[in-house]
């Protein structure tokens, strides 16, 4: 059954352009990073995490909701207690802006990428660097597979690479877009990979054969994010063209265009139950979308 979404009255204003948004695992809070040093948590009350000294590029909950990892232009990655909002660890080693930092599904490892051209694995408990990978260009984003065995890197050099955590090595190059790749994500069942780029195109790849199975076109500007719904049947994307779009995976068609932002949409996420979409903008707004 195709579900259509509408703009909800509830929205949040931020002091600066927002870089990323994510629902908490229980769906009750929204974690936001922005073009300043504070991380915000929007819920029944507004909370802040303070510690970074420069723009925060992304922030993410661990799968159990107990920790938050953030990364910044201050070249650090920080791990926080999500309840007390206290900093637990500061991971240092990158020599450039840290563009992405993600927990493994079991919360024991963090993978990070930076404009210094490296991807690094960190042990959450000790805060020590486990492994370092060199990349020919800086990486925009990192995403783990749902089983935690692999991660994807989306890069400025137009590629998406697959890395094996246990082997500590790159095992394949999934694709090449015509322009830099902004995001890549495994489907919930791990059988497909979606990628989006500044070439305005979303591509779906078979994870085993690494061949394109579908291509989605409709955005008229850089695509900044793409995510699977929990059921793996629908995708949502966001773009500099100010829209959020929903796509049917099986049919390869656009379902709906969501209009409500007045500037580029920089990030998007879906609530764990698939009933709500959150999107953020360069115009300092966070908007929520729910079923019609």
């Amino acid at each position: 059954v195709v579900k259509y979404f509408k703009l909800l009255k509830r929205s949040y204003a931020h002091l600066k352009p927002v870089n990323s948004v994510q629902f908490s695992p229980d769906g009750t809070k929204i974690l936001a990073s922005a073009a300043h040093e504070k991380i915000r948590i929007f819920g029944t009350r507004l909370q802040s995490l303070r510690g970074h000294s420069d723009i925060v590029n992304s922030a993410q909950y661990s799968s159990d909701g107990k920790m938050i990892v953030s990364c910044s232009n201050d070249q650090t990655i920080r791990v926080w207690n999500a309840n007390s909002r206290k900093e637990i660890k500061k991971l240092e080693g990158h020599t450039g802006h840290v563009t992405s930092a993600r927990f493994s599904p079991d919360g024991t490892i963090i993978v990070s990428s930076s404009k210094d051209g490296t991807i690094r694995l960190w042990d959450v408990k000790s805060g020590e660097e486990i492994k370092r990978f060199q990349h020919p260009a800086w990486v925009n984003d990192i995403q783990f597979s749902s089983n935690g065995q692999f991660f994807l890197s989306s890069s400025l050099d137009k590629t998406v690479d697959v890395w094996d955590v246990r082997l500590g090595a790159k095992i394949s190059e999934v694709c090449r877009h015509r322009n830099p790749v902004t995001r890549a994500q495994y489907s919930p069942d791990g059988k497909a990979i979606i990628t989006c780029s500044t070439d305005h195109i979303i591509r779906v790849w078979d994870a085993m054969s690494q061949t394109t199975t579908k291509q989605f076109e409709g955005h008229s500007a850089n695509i900044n994010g793409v995510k699977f719904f929990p059921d793996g049947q629908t995708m949502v994307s966001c773009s500099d063209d100010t829209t959020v779009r929903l796509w049917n995976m099986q049919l390869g068609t656009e379902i709906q265009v969501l209009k409500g932002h007045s500037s580029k949409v920089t990030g998007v996420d879906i609530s764990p139950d698939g009933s709500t979409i959150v999107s953020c903008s360069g115009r300092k707004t966070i908007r929520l979308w729910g079923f019609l």
Side-chain angles (χ1 to χ4, degrees), residues 275-289:
S275 68
T276 312
I277 296 167
V278 63
S279 55
C280 61
S281 155
R283 194 57 65 84
K284 310 175 190 176
T285 58
I286 295 168
R287 299 202 181 279
L288 290 163
W289 314 79

Side-chain angles (χ1 to χ4, degrees), residues 15-284:
L15 300 171
K16 297 281 185 178
V18 187
N19 294 324
S20 74
V21 280
Q22 190 211 12
F23 279 102
S24 58
D26 64 4
T28 63
K29 301 182 189 75
I30 292 165
L31 182 64
S33 67
H36 68 164
E37 64 279 1
K38 280 188 289 192
I39 299 154
R40 293 281 174 89
I41 302 171
F42 297 92
T44 50
R45 59 196 178 95
L46 178 64
Q47 299 173 309
S48 296
L49 305 178
R50 302 163 193 263
H52 283 294
S53 59
D54 206 335
I55 289 169
V56 181
N57 293 310
S58 83
Q60 184 211 11
Y61 279 99
S62 57
S63 58
D64 62 7
K66 293 179 179 177
M67 293 182 291
I68 291 167
V69 64
S70 60
C71 63
S72 166
N73 284 2
D74 67 10
Q75 304 182 7
T76 71
I77 299 148
R78 292 171 197 248
V79 182
W80 313 80
N81 181 307
N83 293 319
S84 68
R85 304 187 306 284
K86 296 283 190 283
E87 186 180 301
I88 305 167
K89 291 264 185 321
K90 180 163 72 169
L91 311 181
E92 296 180 282
H94 281 296
T95 56
H97 297 172
V98 188
T99 54
S100 183
R102 309 281 180 189
F103 282 113
S104 59
D106 65 4
T108 62
I109 293 171
I110 288 167
V111 64
S112 63
S113 60
S114 166
K115 290 187 179 180
D116 65 12
T118 67
I119 297 167
R120 302 181 192 220
L121 291 174
W122 310 80
D123 181 271
V124 172
K125 198 170 184 181
S126 68
E128 296 298 313
E129 185 183 306
I130 305 166
K131 188 81 181 175
R132 186 183 307 184
F133 312 95
Q134 198 64 42
H135 201 280
W138 91 52
V139 174
N140 291 317
D141 189 51
I142 301 276
Q143 296 282 348
F144 271 103
S145 59
S146 56
N147 61 12
Q149 291 177 9
F150 309 102
F151 63 86
L152 301 169
S153 62
S154 311
S155 174
L156 199 69
D157 68 2
K158 311 173 189 176
T159 65
V160 173
D161 295 323
V162 182
W163 307 77
D164 188 300
V165 175
R166 281 177 295 192
L167 289 177
K170 173 182 160 180
I171 54 172
S172 65
E173 181 183 296
V174 178
C175 72
R176 278 191 174 270
H177 275 266
R178 293 198 299 264
N179 287 23
V181 184
T182 47
R183 292 286 183 274
Q185 189 197 11
Y186 279 100
S187 59
D189 63 9
K191 292 179 180 177
I193 294 167
I194 46 172
T195 62
C196 65
S197 164
T198 58
D199 63 12
H200 313 175
I201 294 170
I202 298 165
R203 291 193 169 100
V204 183
W205 309 80
D206 181 276
M208 287 293 289
S209 66
Q210 292 169 10
T211 53
T212 311
T213 57
K214 286 190 178 69
Q215 188 165 297
F216 296 84
E217 296 185 51
H219 282 297
S220 59
N222 296 351
I223 303 172
N224 298 313
V226 63
K227 287 212 73 166
F228 279 103
F229 272 71
D231 63 7
Q233 301 302 306
T234 310
M235 294 185 307
V236 64
S237 60
C238 64
S239 167
D240 282 359
D241 67 12
T242 76
T243 69
V244 173
R245 294 174 190 244
L246 290 119
W247 313 84
N248 184 301
M249 279 293 293
Q250 288 186 319
L251 299 176
T253 56
E254 185 178 277
I255 300 168
Q256 192 181 5
V257 182
L258 304 179
K259 297 179 180 179
H261 286 287
S262 58
S263 72
K264 64 183 181 181
V265 189
T266 51
V268 67
D269 195 28
I270 304 146
S271 62
D273 65 2
S275 68
T276 312
I277 296 167
V278 63
S279 55
C280 61
S281 155
R283 194 57 65 84
K284 310 175 190 176

